[in-house]
Amino acid sequence: HALKVVHMDQRDKKLFREYSLGMKQRLGLAAAMMHEPELLILDEPMNGLDPVGIHETRNYLLQLCKEKGTTIFISSHVLNEIEQLADVIGVINKGKMLEEADMQQLYRHNRRYVQFEVSDVNKAALVLERRFHISDYAVIDHGTLRLYDKLDCRAEINGGFVNEGIAVANVSICTGTLEDYFTKLVGGGGIG
């Protein structure tokens, strides 16, 4: 039954070492769920799977939670995959739990915003405060500003920037992601 669930029941009989990484992942999932555990611990379960395998595995894990009541603990660096699966996330950095939050809390932290790319971010901030009475914004870097309030007024705000001599290169509506949140918690650090 477990092999059928992971679509390996019709496969040729091979030695484990002859399987691709994706097939080994499927086989590992089948072995882990054979006894219908109450708790399933998975480390990078989507590693090596093709897009169809990822979709099937994600749907199976969600089904396992809903129908069997299985608690699934997943460790992964693929944050967009976790975002699609998890009810609760924990951010661990250098062996320490930095934060644990349910996805609803996370979405409140990572709310929608309008991002402006401007020629003078300091002047743009003054325009937001003095002309539009907006204080819920963040300066991201020397040319990027995120507005969290009055999103529907972005055209008027854009016009206000232009009237004050601030060049606007781009305006976009965005939603923070789990990756943004993770990066904010653990900091950058660069590659390597």
Side-chain angles (χ1 to χ4, degrees), residues 45-81:
M46 307 303 179
N47 188 29
L49 296 178
D50 62 18
V52 172
I54 290 171
H55 179 77
E56 289 173 350
T57 301
R58 181 187 321 117
N59 287 342
Y60 174 70
L61 293 174
L62 291 169
Q63 178 186 350
L64 196 60
C65 285
K66 288 178 185 170
E67 293 178 8
K68 303 281 186 185
T70 304
T71 299
I72 302 174
F73 182 91
I74 298 175
S75 172
S76 180
H77 292 91
V78 184
L79 300 182
N80 65 339
E81 194 60 49

Coordinates of all heavy atoms in Angstrom, one line a residue, residues 45-81:
P45 N 12.2 16.6 2.5 CA 11.5 15.5 1.8 C 11.3 15.8 0.3 O 11.1 14.8 -0.5 CB 10.1 15.5 2.5 CG 10.0 16.9 3.0 CD 11.4 17.3 3.4
M46 N 11.5 17.0 -0.2 CA 11.3 17.3 -1.6 C 12.6 17.3 -2.4 O 12.6 17.4 -3.6 CB 10.6 18.7 -1.8 CG 9.4 18.9 -1.0 SD 8.1 17.6 -1.4 CE 6.8 18.2 -0.3
N47 N 13.7 17.1 -1.7 CA 15.0 17.1 -2.4 C 15.1 16.0 -3.4 O 14.8 14.8 -3.1 CB 16.1 16.9 -1.3 CG 17.5 17.0 -1.9 OD1 17.7 17.8 -2.8 ND2 18.4 16.3 -1.3
G48 N 15.4 16.3 -4.6 CA 15.6 15.3 -5.7 C 14.3 15.0 -6.4 O 14.4 14.2 -7.4
L49 N 13.2 15.5 -6.0 CA 11.9 15.2 -6.7 C 11.7 16.1 -7.9 O 12.1 17.3 -7.8 CB 10.8 15.3 -5.7 CG 10.7 14.3 -4.6 CD1 9.5 14.6 -3.7 CD2 10.7 12.9 -5.1
D50 N 11.1 15.6 -8.9 CA 10.8 16.4 -10.1 C 9.5 17.2 -9.7 O 8.9 16.9 -8.6 CB 10.6 15.6 -11.3 CG 9.5 14.6 -11.2 OD1 8.6 14.7 -10.3 OD2 9.5 13.6 -12.1
P51 N 9.1 18.2 -10.5 CA 7.9 19.0 -10.1 C 6.6 18.2 -9.9 O 5.8 18.5 -8.9 CB 7.7 19.9 -11.3 CG 9.1 20.1 -11.8 CD 9.7 18.8 -11.6
V52 N 6.4 17.1 -10.6 CA 5.2 16.2 -10.4 C 5.4 15.5 -9.1 O 4.4 15.4 -8.3 CB 5.1 15.2 -11.6 CG1 4.0 14.2 -11.3 CG2 4.7 16.0 -12.9
G53 N 6.6 15.0 -8.8 CA 6.8 14.3 -7.5 C 6.6 15.3 -6.3 O 6.1 14.9 -5.3
I54 N 7.1 16.5 -6.5 CA 6.9 17.5 -5.4 C 5.4 17.7 -5.2 O 4.9 17.7 -4.0 CB 7.6 18.8 -5.7 CG1 9.1 18.6 -5.7 CG2 7.2 19.9 -4.8 CD1 9.9 19.8 -6.2
H55 N 4.6 17.9 -6.2 CA 3.2 18.2 -6.1 C 2.5 17.0 -5.5 O 1.7 17.2 -4.6 CB 2.6 18.4 -7.5 CG 1.2 18.7 -7.5 ND1 0.6 19.9 -7.2 CD2 0.1 17.9 -7.9 CE1 -0.7 19.8 -7.3 NE2 -1.0 18.5 -7.7
E56 N 2.8 15.8 -5.9 CA 2.2 14.6 -5.4 C 2.6 14.4 -3.9 O 1.7 14.1 -3.1 CB 2.6 13.3 -6.2 CG 2.0 13.3 -7.5 CD 2.6 12.1 -8.4 OE1 3.6 11.5 -7.9 OE2 2.0 11.9 -9.4
T57 N 3.8 14.6 -3.6 CA 4.2 14.4 -2.2 C 3.6 15.5 -1.3 O 3.1 15.2 -0.2 CB 5.8 14.5 -2.1 OG1 6.4 13.5 -2.9 CG2 6.3 14.4 -0.7
R58 N 3.6 16.7 -1.7 CA 2.9 17.8 -0.9 C 1.4 17.4 -0.7 O 1.0 17.5 0.5 CB 3.0 19.1 -1.7 CG 2.4 20.3 -0.9 CD 2.3 21.6 -1.6 NE 3.4 21.9 -2.4 CZ 3.4 22.0 -3.8 NH1 2.2 21.9 -4.4 NH2 4.5 22.3 -4.5
N59 N 0.7 17.0 -1.7 CA -0.7 16.7 -1.6 C -0.9 15.5 -0.6 O -1.8 15.5 0.2 CB -1.3 16.4 -2.9 CG -1.6 17.7 -3.7 OD1 -1.5 18.8 -3.2 ND2 -1.7 17.5 -5.0
Y60 N 0.0 14.5 -0.7 CA -0.1 13.4 0.1 C 0.2 13.7 1.6 O -0.6 13.3 2.5 CB 0.9 12.3 -0.3 CG 0.9 11.1 0.7 CD1 -0.2 10.3 0.8 CD2 1.9 11.0 1.6 CE1 -0.2 9.3 1.7 CE2 1.9 10.0 2.6 CZ 0.8 9.1 2.6 OH 0.7 8.2 3.6
L61 N 1.2 14.6 1.9 CA 1.4 15.0 3.2 C 0.3 15.8 3.8 O -0.1 15.6 5.0 CB 2.7 15.8 3.3 CG 4.0 15.1 3.0 CD1 5.2 16.0 2.9 CD2 4.2 13.9 3.9
L62 N -0.3 16.7 3.0 CA -1.5 17.4 3.5 C -2.7 16.5 3.8 O -3.4 16.6 4.8 CB -1.9 18.5 2.5 CG -0.9 19.6 2.3 CD1 -1.3 20.5 1.1 CD2 -0.9 20.5 3.6
Q63 N -2.9 15.5 2.9 CA -3.9 14.5 3.1 C -3.7 13.7 4.4 O -4.6 13.4 5.1 CB -4.0 13.6 1.9 CG -5.0 12.5 1.9 CD -4.9 11.6 0.7 OE1 -4.2 11.8 -0.2 NE2 -5.6 10.4 0.8
L64 N -2.4 13.3 4.6 CA -2.1 12.5 5.7 C -2.4 13.2 7.0 O -2.9 12.7 8.0 CB -0.6 12.2 5.7 CG 0.0 11.1 6.6 CD1 -0.7 9.8 6.3 CD2 1.5 11.0 6.4
C65 N -2.1 14.5 7.0 CA -2.5 15.4 8.2 C -4.0 15.4 8.4 O -4.5 15.2 9.6 CB -2.0 16.8 8.0 SG -0.2 17.0 8.2
K66 N -4.7 15.7 7.4 CA -6.2 15.9 7.5 C -6.9 14.6 7.8 O -7.8 14.6 8.7 CB -6.7 16.5 6.2 CG -6.3 18.0 6.1 CD -6.9 18.5 4.8 CE -6.3 20.0 4.6 NZ -6.6 20.5 3.3
E67 N -6.6 13.6 7.1 CA -7.4 12.3 7.2 C -6.9 11.4 8.3 O -7.7 10.8 9.0 CB -7.3 11.5 5.9 CG -8.1 12.3 4.8 CD -8.0 11.5 3.4 OE1 -7.5 10.4 3.4 OE2 -8.4 12.1 2.4
K68 N -5.6 11.4 8.6 CA -5.1 10.5 9.6 C -4.7 11.2 10.9 O -4.4 10.6 11.9 CB -3.8 9.7 9.1 CG -4.1 8.9 7.9 CD -4.8 7.6 8.1 CE -4.8 6.8 6.9 NZ -5.6 5.6 7.0
G69 N -4.7 12.5 10.9 CA -4.3 13.3 12.0 C -2.8 13.2 12.4 O -2.4 13.5 13.5
T70 N -2.0 12.9 11.4 CA -0.6 12.7 11.6 C 0.1 14.1 11.7 O -0.2 15.0 11.0 CB 0.1 12.0 10.4 OG1 -0.6 10.7 10.2 CG2 1.5 11.8 10.5
T71 N 0.9 14.2 12.7 CA 1.7 15.4 12.9 C 3.0 15.2 12.1 O 3.7 14.2 12.2 CB 2.1 15.6 14.4 OG1 0.9 15.8 15.1 CG2 3.0 16.8 14.6
I72 N 3.3 16.2 11.3 CA 4.5 16.0 10.4 C 5.5 17.2 10.7 O 5.1 18.3 10.7 CB 4.1 16.1 8.9 CG1 3.2 14.9 8.6 CG2 5.4 16.0 8.0 CD1 2.6 15.0 7.2
F73 N 6.7 16.8 11.1 CA 7.8 17.7 11.4 C 8.7 17.7 10.2 O 9.2 16.7 9.9 CB 8.5 17.3 12.7 CG 9.6 18.2 13.1 CD1 9.3 19.3 14.0 CD2 10.9 18.0 12.6 CE1 10.3 20.1 14.3 CE2 11.9 18.9 13.0 CZ 11.6 19.9 13.9
I74 N 8.8 18.9 9.5 CA 9.7 18.9 8.3 C 10.8 19.9 8.5 O 10.6 21.0 9.0 CB 8.9 19.4 7.1 CG1 7.7 18.4 6.8 CG2 9.8 19.6 5.9 CD1 6.8 18.9 5.7
S75 N 12.0 19.4 8.2 CA 13.2 20.3 8.2 C 13.5 20.6 6.8 O 13.7 19.6 6.0 CB 14.3 19.6 8.9 OG 15.5 20.4 8.8
S76 N 13.6 21.9 6.4 CA 13.9 22.2 5.0 C 14.5 23.6 4.9 O 14.1 24.5 5.7 CB 12.6 22.1 4.2 OG 12.9 22.4 2.8
H77 N 15.3 23.8 3.9 CA 15.8 25.1 3.5 C 15.0 25.7 2.4 O 15.2 26.8 2.0 CB 17.3 25.0 3.1 CG 18.2 24.6 4.2 ND1 18.5 23.3 4.5 CD2 18.8 25.4 5.1 CE1 19.3 23.3 5.5 NE2 19.5 24.6 5.9
V78 N 14.1 24.9 1.8 CA 13.2 25.3 0.7 C 12.0 26.0 1.3 O 11.0 25.4 1.5 CB 12.9 24.2 -0.3 CG1 12.1 24.7 -1.4 CG2 14.1 23.4 -0.7
L79 N 12.1 27.3 1.6 CA 11.1 28.0 2.4 C 9.8 28.2 1.6 O 8.7 28.1 2.3 CB 11.6 29.3 2.8 CG 12.9 29.3 3.7 CD1 13.3 30.7 4.1 CD2 12.7 28.4 4.9
N80 N 9.8 28.3 0.3 CA 8.5 28.4 -0.4 C 7.7 27.1 -0.3 O 6.5 27.1 -0.3 CB 8.7 28.9 -1.8 CG 9.4 27.9 -2.7 OD1 10.1 27.0 -2.2 ND2 9.2 28.0 -4.0
E81 N 8.4 26.0 -0.2 CA 7.7 24.7 0.0 C 7.1 24.6 1.4 O 6.0 24.2 1.6 CB 8.7 23.5 -0.3 CG 8.0 22.2 -0.4 CD 7.0 22.2 -1.6 OE1 7.4 22.6 -2.7 OE2 5.9 21.7 -1.4

